[in-house]
Amino acid sequence: MTVNLEVADGVGTILLNRPPMNALDVATQDRLRELAVEATRRDDVRAVVLYGGEKVFAAGADIKEMRDMDHAAMIARSRDLQESFTAIARIPKPVVAAVTGYALGGGCELALCADFRVAGENAKLGQPEILLGLIPGAGGTQRLARLIGPSKAKDLIFTGRQVKADEALTLGLVDRVVPAAEVYQEAHRWASRLAAGPAIALRAAKESVDFGLEADIDTGLAIERNWFAGLFATEDRETGMRSFVEDGPGKATFR
Ligand code: CAA
C-alpha cells in the first residue's frame, strides 16, 4: 500500500510511502479517504499525524498518471479527488501534518487539511499547478485562501513559486519550524498532548471552528452554542469540573 495507518498510544500516523516523491496517484487518493474513515471510526485513534517520511511530504498529484486524462475523465475524477482530501479535513480529531522536504500541489493541499503544520527547516511548500497550465484541484484555492488570506494565496497560486519553511511560517502556512530530523517527533508530541484531551470537546471545538467559518456569524454562534450545551451531557465535562473544584485548574484526566 502506498499509504498506511499506524496506531500507537492514541495517535494514528497516516504515512505516505510512494517513493521517490510520494506522488499522489488515484489509488493513493482513494486509500487516503479509506484511512480518514478508519481514523474517524477507531476509538484508539485520538489524534492523527500526517507524514510522508524523512525526505519528502508529497510532490503533488501524479502528473504522469494525469497526463493522459481528458476533460471528461477529469470531470469524473475531480470530485473523488476533492472528497478524499475533504475526508482528511473532516476527521473529527486533532490532525497535525509533519512536513519534510517538498509539499507541492496536492502535497501542500494535503497538509492544508490538517489542523496544524510542523515543517522541517528543509521544507518547501507551494502550489505549482499554474506551471502545468492548471490550478490547484484538491482544495488549494479554497483552503489556502482561508488559511493565509486571499492575496497571499493568489501570490502562491498565480506564480507557482515554492516557499521555504521560514517564509511559510511568516505567511501562516505552517505553525512551527524545527530541524528536519525532528519534524515527526515534534508533530507526534503535539498530537499526543491533544490525544490526552477530552475527545468529544475536541471534536466540538474543531467542528465549531471549521463549520462556523463557512457560515455567517449567527449560524456559527448557533453551532457553538449547541455544542457547548451538548457537552454538558459528557462524562468528561463532569470530570473536568470536579477536578477543578477539588484539585485546581488543568489537572483532570479524561477517559
Ligand atoms: N507526479 C509524478 N511524478 C513526479 C512528481 C509528480 N507530482 N513529482 C516528481 N515526480 C517524479 C519525477 O518525474 C522523477 O521521476 P523520474 O525519476 O522517473 O524521472 C522523480 O519523481 C524525481 O523527481 P525530480 O527528478 O524532478 O526531482 P528533483 O529533486 O529535481 O525535483 C520536485 C523535485 C521539485 C518535487 C520536482 O519533481 C517537481 O517540481 N515535481 C512536480 C511538482 C508539481 O508540479 N506538483 C503539482 C502536481 S499537480 C497537482 O497536484 C494537482 C492538484 O491540485 C491535486
Side-chain angles (χ1 to χ4, degrees), residues 123 145 156 202 231:
L156 298 188
L202 285 164
L231 290 169

Side-chain angles (χ1 to χ4, degrees), residues 20-21 23 59-64 66 81 102 104-106 109 128-129 132 135-138 162:
M21 289 288 159
D62 190 325
I63 299 168
K64 290 166 186 162
M66 283 191 299
L81 167 67
Y102 294 109
L104 299 176
E109 290 166 297
E129 289 88 347
L132 300 166
I135 64 169
Q162 296 175 12

Side-chain angles (χ1 to χ4, degrees), residues 150-220:
S151 58
K152 291 183 185 119
K154 284 175 186 165
D155 168 35
L156 298 188
I157 294 167
F158 289 5
T159 65
R161 72 188 180 87
Q162 296 175 12
V163 297
K164 293 182 182 163
D166 52 353
E167 186 184 355
L169 187 65
T170 307
L171 287 171
L173 177 51
V174 302
D175 303 287
R176 284 181 199 171
V177 177
V178 299
E182 294 168 24
V183 170
Y184 180 72
Q185 210 182 3
E186 178 65 20
H188 194 275
R189 218 179 355 244
W190 196 343
S192 292
R193 272 198 300 272
L194 292 167
I200 301 176
L202 285 164
R203 178 183 188 143
K206 179 163 178 168
E207 291 194 1
S208 297
V209 172
D210 287 352
F211 290 114
L213 278 175
E214 301 310 319
D216 62 278
I217 190 156
D218 284 336
T219 307

